[in-house]
Amino acid sequence: MTVQEAILAFRRENPVLMEELAGADTLEDARDRVLSHIIRYETITLGEVEVRHPMDRAVSRRCLHALKNIFSRRSESLSGFCALEAIWKMATGEDAGVEAAFVEEMRHLFRGMMGATGIYGAAPVGETALAGGRSAARIRSVALDGIAETAHRGMECFASGMDPEVIRMRQENRNRIMTELRASREQWDDWRWQCRNVIRDADMATRLIHLTREEDEGIRQMTQLGLPFGITPYYASLMDTDTGRERDHAVRAQVIPPLSYTRIMGEQRNQPLDLDFMGESDTSPQDLITRRYPMITIFKPYNTCAQICVYCQRNWEIGNVLERGARALEEQLEAAIRWHQEHPEVTEVLVTGGDPAILGDRITGSILKRLSGISHIRRIRIGTRTPVVLPMRITEAYADLLAGFREPGYREICLMTHFEHPYEVTPEALEAVERVRSRGIPVYNQGVFTPENARRFEMAALRRSLRSIGVDPYYTFNTKGKEETRAYRVPIARLLQEQAEEARLTPGLDRTDEAVFNIPRLGKNYLRAGQNHEVIMILPDGKRVYEFYPWDMSLEDVSPYMHTDPEILGFLQEMEARGENPGDYESIWYYL
C-alpha cells in the first residue's frame, strides 16, 4: 500500500472529520475541531446501551484515550512531532510528510473510536441466550471445542525438539559433528569438552553448520570486529542441514547475527555505556551487584557464557565467549558478599552474569556457601542457559551441589533459564531439568518475544513444550529497544494480542508467564496488567511512542520513560514474508 492509497482510504472512512479540518484556519483551530469530533464519539460510546458488540465498546474507549493523547500539546512537546498537523494537511490535500504506516495507524485508531473495526461482528445473541441448564452447557461446549481445535491446530504448526523425526535428524547431526571434531560419545556428553570445542569463527562454523551466504558474512564480521561470538557443538546440532530456516529459525537467530547488528555494534563498540540500555551502571551500588527492586539483587560473579545470544542485554560488558578473566576477583566477591550482609532488606539473590553455571563445581559451591550463610537470604536463583545450549552441564554432581543449599521451609534454590522456541526443547534438556527437579529445585523460563516466536500460537507452543519437560513459564519479555537489535523487535501490541487471543485459550498452568517490558534503570512494567503505560504519539513513520511510568512512585527518580516502538505495518509485512496471512492479525491495531 502506498501512502497515497492509505490517505484515500482514511479520507473515505472519515468524511466528516476531513470536512471539518479542511475548514480550519490555524493549527489550534484544527485542534479544537478534531477534539470536538472525538468528544462527540466519546459521548456516544459512553451513553449507548446495547448498540454493538461489547468488545467494540472496549476498543472505542482505548482508542479515544489514545487519540486525545496524540492530539495534545503535551504529547507533541514530548515526542517532537505533531500528528495533528499531518492530519490537517491530509484534509487540505497538502503533503503531510508521513508514511503509509502512520496513516494506517491513524485510520485504525479512528475506526476503533467509531466502533467500526469489523472484527467482532454484531453483539452475540446465540442459542445459549434462548436455552438454559444442560442444553446451554452443551451448546457452549460445542463452541469451546471449536476454539480449542483452533488453538491446537495453531500450536501443532511448530516442530518440537521432542518430535521423533527431529530427534532422529539431530542424532545424525550429532554424529556428523562428532566425526568432524574426532570426538567420542563420551566426550560429546562432557560439558567441559563442549566448552573447549565451542565454535568461535566462520571457518569452523562452515565446517559444522550449513550456512547461508549472509549467515557466513555475519559471523565473519562479528569475529573481525572482535564482537563476542560462540556456539556450542551441542547447540549447532540443533540446526537443520536445510538452510531455509523453516523449522530452526529461532535456533539460528539466537546466535547468528544479522548484518544490521554487526554494523551497529561495530560503530558503538568503543562506547560501551551507549550500549548499556538497561542503565545497569546507574543501578549498581557495588561491583557485581545490580539493584532495581526493594528485596532482590542481581549478583554477577562470572561475566561470560558458553554461547553468546545475539540480543544479550549485557553485550556491552561481555568480552568474548568463555573469555579468560571473566571470573570476578576474590576481593570483588568478598565486597559483594559483605554488601549483602549489610542489607537485611534484601532477601533474594539472582546469581547470573554471564552464565554462572559455567563455573566449576568447587567455585560454585564456594559462592553459594557464602550467600547461604547470610541469614536473611531466603531464596537464591541461578540464572543459566545451560539447559538449552549445554544440558550436559547439569550433571548429577551439580544437581546435588545446588540441592545441598536448600532448606525446605527456609531457603529455596531455583533455576532460571531461557528457552525461546519449542525447537530447543530436546530429550537432553528434559534430562537436565529432571535432574534438578528430582532434588526439589524448580525451573522457570524467561523468554524473549521476537519475530522468531511471534507467529500465531508460536509462543503458546513453546509454553506447552516447556510444561511437558517440567519448566514453568515465568516471564515473556518484550524485546528491549536497543538499536543494534532492531531486527529482533516486535510491537508491544503483538505481545498484548498474543496474551489476550492465544495464551488465554490455553490452561492456566501453561500460561503462568507475565508479559513485561523492562524499563531502563526502573525495571519491569507488567503489560498484561496495563501497568502505567500509554500511547502518546504516532510518528511520521508509523512508530508508536509510549510513555511508561515508574512502577513505584515512592522512588526518587519518577521520570517517565519514553519508548518508540516498531511500526505495526512493518511487523505485518514481516509476518507475511514468513508465510503468514496479515488478516489473521487484524486486531493488533487495537491493542494499545
Side-chain angles (χ1 to χ4, degrees):
M1 173 183 287
T2 66
V3 65
Q4 289 80 14
E5 291 169 337
I7 289 173
L8 284 174
F10 182 90
R11 292 174 62 90
R12 186 168 56 248
E13 293 178 10
N14 296 276
V16 175
L17 174 65
M18 292 290 94
E19 183 178 350
E20 289 176 349
L21 285 178
D25 296 321
T26 66
L27 184 63
E28 292 310 310
D29 184 15
R31 192 186 312 279
D32 290 341
R33 290 173 184 242
V34 75
L35 290 176
S36 296
H37 183 79
I38 290 169
I39 289 169
R40 282 200 299 273
Y41 273 98
E42 184 173 42
T43 302
I44 293 169
T45 298
L46 294 176
E48 65 187 2
V49 183
E50 293 293 340
V51 178
R52 51 187 164 172
H53 196 289
M55 292 299 293
D56 261 329
R57 187 171 186 272
V59 168
S60 290
R61 294 171 70 93
R62 293 200 298 268
C63 292
L64 283 161
H65 181 76
L67 285 168
K68 285 193 285 186
N69 270 346
I70 288 165
F71 294 128
S72 73
R73 297 183 189 87
R74 177 179 182 272
S75 294
E76 292 167 0
S77 176
L78 288 172
S79 66
F81 176 66
C82 181
L84 171 63
E85 186 173 9
I87 297 289
W88 184 27
K89 287 181 177 179
M90 285 164 50
T92 59
E94 298 178 61
D95 181 7
V98 295
E99 298 178 16
F102 168 87
V103 184
E104 282 295 279
E105 274 280 8
M106 299 307 299
R107 187 166 73 91
H108 283 91
L109 284 172
F110 276 98
R111 265 189 181 183
M113 178 193 77
M114 295 184 288
T117 66
I119 293 172
Y120 304 108
V125 185
E127 293 178 76
T128 51
L130 306 176
R134 186 60 55 82
S135 296
R138 286 173 175 162
I139 293 168
R140 177 180 175 80
S141 184
V142 169
L144 292 174
D145 281 344
I147 295 171
E149 182 183 351
T150 297
H152 287 309
R153 191 166 56 246
M155 289 187 282
E156 286 160 7
C157 290
F158 305 106
S160 164
M162 300 294 285
D163 296 345
E165 187 273 328
V166 175
I167 293 172
R168 179 195 58 76
M169 180 272 293
R170 286 173 170 172
Q171 288 172 343
E172 293 176 358
N173 253 359
R174 180 193 66 209
N175 293 337
R176 175 178 56 80
I177 294 173
M178 285 169 51
T179 299
E180 187 68 33
L181 296 178
R182 299 179 181 177
S184 65
R185 181 57 193 270
E186 183 180 8
Q187 288 174 312
W188 179 270
D189 291 335
D190 182 345
W191 70 277
R192 294 185 183 277
W193 179 90
Q194 291 275 338
C195 287
R196 287 194 298 270
N197 288 274
V198 164
I199 300 166
R200 295 174 177 271
D201 56 50
D203 290 339
M204 189 176 181
T206 301
R207 283 172 56 200
L208 304 181
I209 306 168
H210 293 77
L211 300 174
T212 65
R213 183 177 300 176
E214 183 172 323
E215 288 172 339
D216 180 271
E217 179 61 23
I219 295 171
R220 291 186 188 281
Q221 288 189 17
M222 284 281 281
T223 54
Q224 288 168 6
L225 291 167
L227 301 174
F229 171 78
I231 308 174
T232 63
Y234 164 79
Y235 201 71
S237 75
L238 307 189
M239 299 182 192
D240 297 346
T241 53
D242 178 2
T243 60
R245 289 193 171 200
E246 182 177 343
R247 298 185 302 184
D248 67 346
H249 52 95
V251 175
R252 288 176 180 256
Q254 280 288 302
V255 288
I256 301 177
L259 296 179
S260 61
Y261 175 86
T262 58
R263 178 181 59 80
I264 297 172
M265 283 295 289
E267 293 170 354
Q268 297 186 344
R269 189 59 172 168
N270 294 325
Q271 294 87 36
L273 289 182
D274 291 343
L275 298 170
D276 179 14
F277 179 79
M278 284 303 296
E280 291 198 55
S281 59
D282 297 332
T283 52
S284 177
Q286 174 71 39
D287 284 353
L288 312 184
I289 295 173
T290 298
R291 187 183 188 188
R292 299 193 194 102
Y293 310 107
M295 298 183 188
I296 181 171
T297 61
I298 295 171
F299 178 38
K300 300 177 286 186
Y302 189 59
N303 201 29
T304 191
C305 305
Q307 176 169 302
I308 306 297
C309 300
V310 173
Y311 52 76
C312 175
Q313 174 177 312
R314 299 192 177 99
N315 57 9
W316 62 287
E317 287 185 309
I318 292 176
N320 214 330
V321 62
L322 299 174
E323 185 176 46
R324 291 182 181 276
R327 194 177 107 199
L329 299 174
E330 187 62 29
E331 53 265 35
Q332 290 178 304
L333 290 173
E334 284 300 328
I337 295 296
R338 282 197 306 273
W339 187 94
H340 282 96
Q341 291 170 337
E342 294 164 0
H343 288 80
E345 302 82 6
V346 174
T347 58
E348 184 167 339
V349 179
L350 169 59
V351 184
T352 183
D355 193 330
I358 304 303
L359 291 167
D361 289 2
R362 181 183 61 80
I363 299 169
T364 299
S366 173
I367 291 171
L368 293 180
K369 182 178 181 179
R370 282 183 274 187
L371 284 173
S372 63
I374 303 172
S375 60
H376 53 267
I377 301 297
R378 307 296 294 268
R379 181 181 295 118
I380 300 173
R381 304 190 208 173
I382 311 296
T384 175
R385 202 161 184 243
T386 55
V388 188
V389 307
L390 193 65
M392 52 282 294
R393 170 58 184 112
I394 312 297
T395 61
E396 298 286 346
Y398 185 73
D400 284 338
L401 172 67
L402 298 183
F405 294 98
R406 288 183 65 236
E407 291 188 39
Y410 177 67
R411 183 184 303 106
E412 183 180 15
I413 305 294
C414 309
L415 217 63
M416 317 299 297
T417 192
H418 173 43
F419 288 88
E420 275 293 276
H421 199 273
Y423 212 52
E424 294 178 314
V425 177
T426 65
E428 293 89 342
L430 167 61
E431 291 176 10
V433 170
E434 277 296 295
R435 285 192 191 105
V436 292
R437 288 184 73 239
S438 66
R439 291 162 170 83
I441 299 171
V443 183
Y444 300 97
N445 193 68
Q446 299 186 141
V448 180
F449 202 57
T450 77
E452 308 304 333
N453 54 24
R455 289 180 290 182
R456 291 288 262 183
F457 293 103
E458 200 161 7
M459 184 58 77
L462 170 60
R463 296 187 189 100
R464 183 171 69 174
S465 292
L466 290 174
R467 290 295 304 152
S468 75
I469 66 168
V471 177
D472 293 317
Y474 177 53
Y475 279 139
T476 295
F477 287 105
N478 184 268
T479 311
K480 295 176 178 65
K482 304 195 306 181
E483 181 63 18
E484 69 271 20
T485 54
R486 67 173 69 163
Y488 291 82
R489 296 173 63 194
V490 174
I492 288 172
R494 173 60 189 134
L495 181 50
L496 294 173
Q497 181 188 46
E498 193 279 333
Q499 293 278 303
E501 298 182 11
E502 296 149 55
R504 186 67 183 84
L505 303 184
T506 60
L509 289 180
D510 281 3
R511 52 181 167 85
T512 52
D513 54 312
E514 279 285 354
V516 296
F517 181 94
N518 240 349
I519 299 174
R521 302 186 317 281
L522 298 177
K524 299 175 185 67
N525 183 288
Y526 288 75
L527 294 172
R528 182 162 54 182
Q531 179 190 354
N532 299 330
H533 73 275
E534 56 186 352
V535 175
I536 65 165
M537 185 54 67
I538 308 297
L539 297 180
D541 56 5
K543 293 181 171 66
R544 292 180 177 180
V545 177
Y546 283 85
E547 186 172 21
F548 283 88
Y549 299 98
W551 60 271
D552 185 345
M553 300 305 286
S554 65
L555 291 172
E556 182 179 348
D557 182 2
V558 293
S559 302
Y561 175 70
M562 311 297 293
H563 166 71
T564 301
D565 214 37
E567 72 278 9
I568 287 176
L569 185 61
F571 168 76
L572 295 178
Q573 291 167 343
E574 171 67 20
M575 290 297 100
E576 186 172 23
R578 291 174 182 249
E580 295 288 284
N581 176 8
D584 292 341
Y585 299 81
E586 178 62 21
S587 64
I588 189 174
W589 300 98
Y590 307 109
Y591 286 95
L592 301 163

